[in-house]
Amino acid sequence: MDRAVEYEAVIGLEVHAELETRSKMFCACPVVDVTQAEPNSAVCPVCAGMPGVLPVVNRRAVEYALRVALALECEIAPMSLFARKNYFYPDLPKGYQISQYDQPLARNGRLIISTPTGERAISIRRVHLEEDTGKLTHVHENGGSYSLLDLNRAGVPLLEIVSEPHLTSAEEVRAYAVALRSILRYVGANSGDMQKGVLRIEPNVSVRLRGDKELGVRTEIKNLNSFRALERAVAHEVARQIELLRRGEPVFQETRGWDEVREVTFTQRRKETEDDYRYFPEPDLPPLEISREWIEEVRRSLPELPYVKRQRFQREYALNTYEIDLLIEDRFVADFFEDVIRSAPQVSPHAVANWMIGEVFSLLNQTGVLLEESHLSPEGLAALLTMVQRQEINQSTAKNVLAEMFISGKSPEKIVSEQGLAQISDETVIQEWVEDVLQAYPREVAAYWEGKEGLRQWFFGQVMRAAQGKANPQVVHQVLQRQLEQRRKAKG
Ligand code: ADP
Ligand code: MG
Ligand code: ZN
């Protein structure tokens, strides 16, 4: 029997997002880029876990947490509690992590995901605040080994977002991660930079016989630093568990890693049970109280969220889902797109979308810069597309001009006039190019008359080359057609 029919995957996600505050969760130390900063350069007695110090809650972190929780349509608890999660590990100098446990900041939300088969709402179980741990680097050299500890990350505000186990495939897991990252970035809470570790996604994966009510034994996969790794790791883990069950072997509850090279998950450690952490209320922090007014104020300050934007784009611009998903994932890109449309009323939204998704995105990919870092402005792109629309320049010239705008920030008008790129539509000029080409290739002309129709496109290419790409393609086609006919008649 087909294994996909026999078994089904059940997946829930725990996501840790560092909050983009200036200072840490419980002290005044700055939040620094741990991939860049000098190790242990942003540490004080509080985040280093010295005895006798007192934590103070960072209000900005709570506000970011509220923004995310409200964007996820959660119920906000008027009062939530911080707790100590005790465990001993060198990256945790206090010997416990301050987190929220049985009374989290927010519960019962949902996230709308967009999959090839349509939209789905995935339930969010809880959203809570905690602090990040330090960073350990294990070094093995000369037959010995030691570990380096960087506490710059210790105490950085961290938001944990936990879904219900309602996802059913690797594709859905990816769609969930994409949608959540997009929301985190829309509300300004997190940069979404998975390579830098500021957004960490941990899928819990189990499988069961299709139709079973009980959940199967789950594993949790750690250290996935891209959507691609996430999707592949989940697909592999689902297949691995199905294989075990089919052979009648047990799945162990454990934490697994992802081997990027061999593309397999592997055992890291057996999971601690909840009791091991001996949670108890944090005695140094008062309950976190959040007023109705504050909640409403934050709610009002939220931007239009991705799934609302998706529907509006469908209504207003009649684009397909694929195009819309690409345009709305990043708020800056979506705003840019709409600014171009406003500045170029003669150009169709569809043409703007095509230029953005095709040319602009590929320039971004090639150069590795973000749209907001590039020199391209919405007004600039609008001016360029208007010139194309008015046939002042042709498509291929426009692509070159765009690349130049991207680097120099010059206006398209300036680039076109400086480099003499304006499209030439003057028939007498084009006619000369056409005649030159036809005269230079008499054998090809003869072959064309004999029926090699395909040569017309080749002549076209030669004329464009003579024109250095600047000729109006439609006029070239017309003149070429006419000249070929005239010559045939003259000969015949
Ligand atoms: P923890 O991992 O900290 O013990 P939970 O038990 O609340 O926390 O579960 C964490 C995540 O695992 C949640 O996203 C939840 O949906 C998911 N999950 C729980 N049980 C299963 C299961 N049997 N299969 C798949 N996912 C599960
Ligand atoms: Mg877990
Ligand atoms: Zn500190």
Side-chain angles (χ1 to χ4, degrees):
M1 195 203 280
D2 183 356
R3 55 170 65 170
V5 174
E6 203 180 345
Y7 292 99
E8 65 181 0
V10 176
I11 305 148
L13 260 59
E14 287 168 86
V15 174
H16 286 93
E18 282 184 2
L19 297 173
E20 292 221 314
T21 52
R22 273 194 297 267
S23 55
K24 291 188 179 179
M25 186 68 213
F26 302 113
C27 62
C29 288
V31 172
V32 296
D33 181 343
V34 291
T35 64
Q36 303 291 326
E38 173 78 8
N40 300 306
S41 58
V43 186
C44 75
V46 175
C47 55
M50 298 296 173
V53 295
L54 282 179
V56 178
V57 172
N58 179 340
R59 189 180 157 93
R60 251 337 243 182
V62 180
E63 186 187 323
Y64 277 137
L66 275 178
R67 289 174 76 78
V68 176
L70 289 170
L72 294 172
E73 302 175 60
C74 289
E75 296 158 16
I76 309 295
M79 196 197 83
S80 60
L81 290 181
F82 287 102
R84 287 188 182 181
K85 178 178 181 178
N86 298 280
Y87 64 97
F88 182 74
Y89 203 64
D91 62 3
L92 195 66
K94 293 196 291 286
Y96 59 86
Q97 179 189 32
I98 303 179
S99 181
Q100 293 191 304
Y101 180 49
D102 51 0
Q103 296 197 53
L105 177 78
R107 295 180 204 260
N108 298 333
R110 60 178 201 149
L111 176 63
I112 313 281
I113 67 170
S114 174
T115 71
T117 53
E119 288 187 354
R120 257 197 88 194
I122 305 300
S123 301
I124 305 288
R125 181 180 288 177
R126 57 186 278 151
V127 174
H128 75 244
L129 274 162
E130 56 188 37
E131 57 178 338
D132 211 343
T133 60
K135 193 172 174 347
L136 279 173
T137 307
H138 304 290
V139 184
H140 305 274
E141 59 181 19
N142 307 330
S145 66
Y146 56 92
S147 297
L148 297 169
L149 174 59
D150 179 9
L151 291 179
N152 283 348
R153 206 180 65 181
V156 168
L158 201 58
L159 195 67
E160 179 165 345
I161 301 143
V162 183
S163 84
E164 292 293 344
H166 290 172
L167 295 156
T168 61
S169 67
E171 294 75 31
E172 280 190 359
V173 167
R174 185 195 180 104
Y176 177 97
V178 167
L180 183 54
R181 176 176 182 269
S182 178
I183 282 192
L184 289 166
R185 297 178 71 214
Y186 263 61
V187 304
N190 181 281
S191 69
D193 196 339
M194 294 172 72
Q195 302 291 333
K196 287 202 166 145
V198 299
L199 178 62
R200 311 193 285 268
I201 302 177
E202 284 147 21
N204 288 263
V205 178
S206 68
V207 300
R208 64 181 171 192
L209 275 176
R210 195 165 287 275
D212 267 5
K213 291 277 174 290
E214 303 255 309
L215 293 175
V217 176
R218 72 176 143 132
T219 60
E220 180 173 338
I221 313 173
K222 295 254 191 225
N223 300 330
L224 301 167
N225 57 9
S226 68
F227 290 135
R228 184 186 141 93
L230 173 68
E231 186 173 357
R232 295 197 171 207
V234 169
H236 174 270
E237 183 59 14
V238 168
R240 186 188 72 91
Q241 291 185 15
I242 288 176
E243 198 49 43
L244 283 175
L245 295 192
R246 284 165 64 87
R247 289 206 304 260
E249 291 171 26
V251 173
F252 291 111
Q253 180 167 340
E254 62 188 359
T255 302
R256 298 179 69 84
W258 171 241
D259 185 327
E260 193 81 55
V261 178
R262 290 167 54 231
E263 301 218 317
V264 294
T265 64
F266 59 90
T267 301
Q268 271 186 336
R269 63 183 160 91
R270 278 292 170 83
K271 177 113 184 118
E272 301 91 348
T273 64
E274 216 165 65
D275 296 342
D276 289 341
Y277 293 130
R278 295 171 292 114
Y279 280 99
F280 66 88
E282 167 60 62
D284 291 341
L285 286 169
L288 181 61
E289 291 187 36
I290 294 171
S291 68
R292 283 265 129 233
E293 294 75 49
W294 194 15
I295 295 176
E296 290 318 312
E297 188 190 316
V298 172
R299 200 196 299 279
R300 277 195 303 274
S301 75
L302 291 180
E304 180 182 44
L305 294 167
Y307 63 93
V308 179
K309 205 184 277 295
R310 183 183 299 124
Q311 286 168 359
R312 185 168 65 75
F313 273 30
Q314 249 152 12
R315 273 197 319 275
E316 291 184 14
Y317 306 125
L319 302 172
N320 66 41
T321 339
Y322 169 76
E323 293 166 328
I324 292 177
D325 282 347
L326 288 175
L327 290 171
I328 66 167
E329 192 195 319
D330 181 303
R331 185 175 155 197
F332 188 89
V333 171
D335 289 346
F336 190 105
F337 168 73
E338 293 202 277
D339 287 342
V340 175
I341 287 179
R342 269 190 289 276
S343 309
Q346 307 94 318
V347 181
S348 76
H350 206 261
V352 177
N354 275 340
W355 275 86
M356 295 235 356
I357 292 168
E359 294 308 311
V360 177
F361 283 11
S362 82
L363 284 168
L364 295 173
N365 283 340
Q366 280 162 30
T367 54
V369 299
L370 296 171
L371 186 54
E372 54 262 54
E373 297 163 349
S374 83
H375 289 294
L376 190 66
S377 69
E379 296 72 30
L381 182 57
L384 179 74
L385 300 189
T386 305
M387 290 172 87
V388 174
Q389 164 84 17
R390 293 194 186 132
Q391 304 208 350
E392 290 164 19
I393 51 173
N394 64 33
Q395 297 263 341
S396 69
T397 302
K399 287 180 187 172
N400 296 332
V401 173
L402 180 65
E404 170 86 36
M405 291 165 71
F406 199 79
I407 296 162
S408 71
K410 284 186 191 162
S411 74
E413 293 89 347
K414 186 145 196 239
I415 296 169
V416 166
S417 79
E418 273 178 5
Q419 302 185 11
L421 297 174
Q423 175 159 275
I424 296 165
S425 302
D426 185 335
E427 279 207 23
T428 45
V429 179
I430 290 178
Q431 184 143 334
E432 269 178 39
W433 283 322
V434 170
E435 278 171 4
D436 287 352
V437 167
L438 297 185
Q439 237 145 48
Y441 298 104
R443 259 189 291 157
E444 283 73 8
V445 173
Y448 174 77
W449 288 336
E450 248 121 64
K452 281 188 88 177
E453 284 284 322
L455 277 169
R456 177 124 64 91
Q457 197 53 40
W458 183 80
F459 289 131
F460 174 81
Q462 295 304 314
V463 175
M464 285 308 256
R465 224 170 86 176
Q468 290 175 302
K470 291 184 283 187
N472 180 328
Q474 272 166 303
V475 179
V476 172
H477 276 303
Q478 283 162 14
V479 173
L480 189 58
Q481 173 78 1
R482 209 166 53 217
Q483 286 290 315
L484 283 166
E485 280 309 309
Q486 274 175 13
R487 278 163 193 252
R488 191 210 299 268
K489 284 198 192 114
K491 205 177 180 221

